[in-house]
């Protein structure tokens, strides 16, 4: 034997069974990290492609910039591509039509449409100035195909073009509606047509850089070199944010929160492995004492424990990487084939370099961090005490002095608290799992708020007066309600900037919204304060929406058209932006404004709805009404929310399993380390039931301390995250998560029962002589 380190493989062979638990802890940590990073990597890759499809593959946009400067910027060596886009009549408030439908005119080039946006869905981008490309909804709105002729009409000119293809740079906007159609012309054709109407152009230049990591520095350099105002430069927040380069503060906050949650996961792994190694070291007191007796220094003992931990990694890390990759493939397959939608592009059988590197690196780093405390503990073992087999003899004088009733209960609590480090690790393991439970539930609530289609009132079809004009009569709603395949119909009226006088200073106008009875029923789910039953019918009581941009609060009075109303209820969200928002019944709206029509009618379809139902409702939309079919987008949102819920709850389930395994392992190893003590107690008259109650008391001590610390810290942290993500942006007030706490308490009880069962059974079935002679 050349050095003490040669004992590592020998010790590993002799203590193969005892080391198995520690190796299993490392494997689980590596599996968890590899799975998380691999799945996130695959989702990010798929989401990156989805965002590029929706928002374009460009990085920054320059507005109000001269062509010469833009051309000079496009020739920079770090610029990959540059394209142009100019849009006119995007609000459809000008008399520009295409075959009788409102027309949004766009002057662009092939670089923007085919490389920066990938907008072409059918056909091709116009090859000359006599061709146009139309948004995909033109197929239904205009009943045209590639090769057909269309007529573009304006106040001063009229021109005939040939349809070269279909597609748009904003698929979500044009999807499902037939009110507006986008017309994409070449830049010369656009300039000529606009010139005939006396309209000067103001195109925007879109730039994609070679490397996204250099965009921030390049943007600053360009702005300073050409003296461009900051407001003339904007970024593609979706693409830049996903790459971690966005200057948007909200994106930065989300990354900070994600990093914080990752640290919590890392700590959970450190706690689990460190606790297992502490128990492993405690069982080898004689071994380390003998090493000290034959000349090993404390530094050598520390190095021995650390290298022994790395030796375990040789086996545990590869196994963890293999199982982690397999689990990530299963999750990706579930996302792609089980949920689909935005996850239809997720790669399944792909190796993630990020996941593998992070799994291996975090596994090794976690083991090294976890080995520090056990290594120092082993180095401090007194050679005399270690040889005698009682490293804890010096602590006997600090016996637990609190009388908890029965002796077995007192001893069980003492066993849990005698080693402060072990007590801390067990408490930390419990509390970390509780904190993760409470914090991740906030993430799911945040996802739900980001997806308004998850609301119970979300319509499948919408009829909306242009610019929210009140042009939809009640009779129209009643007609739709009687159609076959229609489940429910609701209506709202919207009046913006209504002059008002309020008891709250600084308010001279409000945005007044009426809810029909069906919508008031659905508003119950977002009610924060008050009684909605007082709002129905003609009433002098109204609702407001809690939001950081809305100064109105419950208790305020507002006078509109000489009639006073009082805010008695508040909601966490509404259908319209909540600035200066007041919601009332349709009858109250009529009394305050004299208007009887709706601005919007929402239709929810039943299972027996057919395409004929859709066409019949669409035919009711007149020229000043926007018809929108939202079924596909609603389904995509539902799939997205479902996938997030599945992934999040699976992750929480893994955390729960790790915590439970750690508790079971620690209690089991603690019993093994004190097997002689239990044998002596049995020998002097303690029965197996008392021994079982002693182990139960020890496990419950860990559980109660973890519950107190975890709930205290977890509730505070989850409340902070709730306020930062939900209350701040959506007005949703924080409430004590009673149901979640109940689940946590149940989880603690189940964990204690699982931790106690095997050790108690082993003690009961062993003979007294066996327990005394156990090594």
């Amino acid at each position: 034997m050349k050095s003490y380190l040669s004992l590592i493989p020998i010790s590993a062979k002799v203590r193969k069974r005892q080391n198995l638990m520690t190796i299993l802890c490392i494997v689980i940590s590596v599996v968890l990290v590899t799975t998380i990073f691999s799945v996130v990597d695959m989702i990010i890759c798929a989401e990156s492609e989805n965002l590029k499809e929706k928002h374009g593959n460009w990085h920054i946009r320059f507005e109000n910039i001269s062509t010469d400067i833009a051309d000079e910027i496009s020739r920079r060596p770090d610029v990959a591509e540059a394209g142009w886009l100019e849009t006119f009549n995007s609000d459809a408030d000008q008399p520009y039509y295409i075959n009788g439908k409102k027309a949004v005119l766009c002057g662009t080039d092939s670089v923007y449409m085919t490389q920066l946006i990938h907008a072409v869905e059918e056909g091709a981008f116009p090859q000359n100035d006599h061709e146009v490309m139309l948004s995909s909804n033109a197929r239904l709105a205009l009943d045209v195909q590639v090769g057909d002729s269309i007529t573009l009409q304006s106040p001063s000119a009229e021109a005939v073009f040939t349809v070269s293809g279909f597609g748009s740079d904003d698929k979500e906007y044009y999807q499902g509606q037939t009110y507006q159609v986008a017309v994409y012309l070449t830049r010369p054709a656009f300039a000529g047509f606009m010139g005939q109407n006396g309209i000067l152009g103001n195109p925007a230049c879109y730039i994609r850089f070679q490397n996204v990591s250099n965009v921030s520095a390049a943007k600053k350099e360009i702005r300073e070199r050409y003296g461009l105002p900051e407001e003339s430069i904007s970024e593609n927040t979706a693409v830049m944010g996903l790459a971690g380069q966005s200057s948007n503060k909200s994106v930065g906050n989300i990354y900070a929160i994600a990093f914080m949650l990752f640290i919590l996961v890392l700590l959970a792994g450190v706690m689990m492995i460190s606790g297992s190694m502490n128990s492993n070291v405690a069982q080898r007191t004689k071994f380390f004492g003998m090493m000290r007796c034959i000349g090993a220094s404390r530094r050598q003992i520390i190095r021995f424990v650390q290298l022994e931990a790395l030796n375990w990694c040789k086996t545990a890390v590869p196994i963890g990487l293999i199982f982690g990759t397999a689990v990530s493939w299963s999750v990706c397959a579930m996302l792609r084939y089980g949920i689909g939608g935005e996850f239809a592009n997720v790669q399944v059988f792909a190796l993630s370099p990020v996941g593998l590197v992070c799994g291996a690196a975090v596994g090794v780093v976690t083991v090294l961090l976890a080995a520090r405390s056990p290594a120092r503990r082993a180095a401090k073992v007194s050679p005399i005490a270690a040889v005698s087999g009682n490293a804890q003899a010096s602590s006997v004088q600090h016996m637990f002095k609190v009388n908890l009733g029965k002796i077995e209960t007192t001893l069980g609590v003492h066993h849990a608290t005698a080693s402060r480090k072990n007590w801390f690790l067990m408490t930390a393991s419990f509390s970390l799992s509780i904190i993760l439970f409470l914090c991740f539930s906030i993430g799911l609530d945040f996802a739900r708020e980001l997806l308004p289609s998850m609301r119970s009132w979300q319509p499948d079809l919408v009829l909306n007066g242009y610019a929210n004009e009140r042009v939809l009569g009640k009779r129209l709603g009643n007609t739709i309600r009687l159609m076959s395949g229609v489940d429910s119909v609701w209506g709202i009226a919207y009046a913006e900037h209504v002059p008002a006088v309020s008891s709250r200073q600084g308010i001279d106008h409000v945005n007044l919204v009426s809810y029909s009875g069906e919508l008031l029923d659905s508003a119950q789910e977002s009610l924060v304060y008050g009684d909605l039953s007082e709002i129905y019918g003609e009433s002098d009581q109204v609702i407001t929406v809690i939001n950081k941009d809305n100064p109105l609060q419950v208790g305020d009075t507002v006078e509109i058209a000489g009639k006073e109303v009082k805010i008695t209820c508040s909601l966490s969200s509404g259908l319209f932006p909540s600035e200066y928002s007041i919601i009332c019944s349709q009858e109250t709206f009529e009394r305050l404004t004299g208007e009887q029509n709706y601005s919007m009618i929402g239709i929810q379809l039943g299972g027996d709805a057919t395409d004929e139902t859709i066409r019949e409702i669409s035919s009711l939309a007149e020229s000043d009404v926007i018809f929108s079919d939202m079924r596909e987008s609603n389904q995509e949102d539902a799939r997205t929310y479902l996938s997030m819920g599945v992934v999040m709850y699976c992750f929480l389930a893994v955390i729960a399993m790790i915590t439970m395994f750690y508790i079971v392992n620690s209690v089991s190893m603690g019993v093994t380390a004190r097997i002689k003590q239990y044998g002596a107690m049995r020998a002097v008259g303690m029965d197996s039931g008392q021994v079982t109650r002693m182990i139960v008391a020890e496990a419950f001590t860990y559980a109660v301390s973890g519950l107190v610390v975890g709930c205290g810290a977890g509730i505070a942290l989850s409340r902070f995250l709730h306020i930062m993500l939900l209350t701040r942006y959506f007005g949703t007030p924080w409430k004590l998560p009673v149901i979640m706490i109940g689940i946590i308490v149940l989880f603690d009880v189940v964990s204690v029962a699982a931790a106690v069962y095997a050790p108690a059974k082993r003690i009961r079935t062993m003979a007294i002589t066996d327990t005394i002679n156990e090594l």
Side-chain angles (χ1 to χ4, degrees), residues 302-342:
I302 292 175
R303 190 179 180 192
F304 181 92
V305 174
Q306 291 176 337
L307 290 179
E308 186 178 42
L310 289 178
N311 187 60
W312 293 330
C313 288
K314 291 193 304 183
T315 303
V317 170
I319 295 175
L321 293 178
I322 293 173
F323 278 96
T325 300
V327 173
S328 69
W329 286 354
S330 301
V331 174
C332 290
M334 178 194 65
L335 292 175
R336 177 166 183 168
Y337 301 111
I339 296 175
E342 291 192 0

Side-chain angles (χ1 to χ4, degrees), residues 161-179:
F161 296 92
T162 301
V163 178
S164 65
F166 294 96
S168 66
D169 63 330
D170 192 346
K171 297 179 177 63
E172 292 183 349
Y173 180 79
Y174 294 104
Q175 178 181 335
Q177 60 100 345
T178 58
Y179 179 73

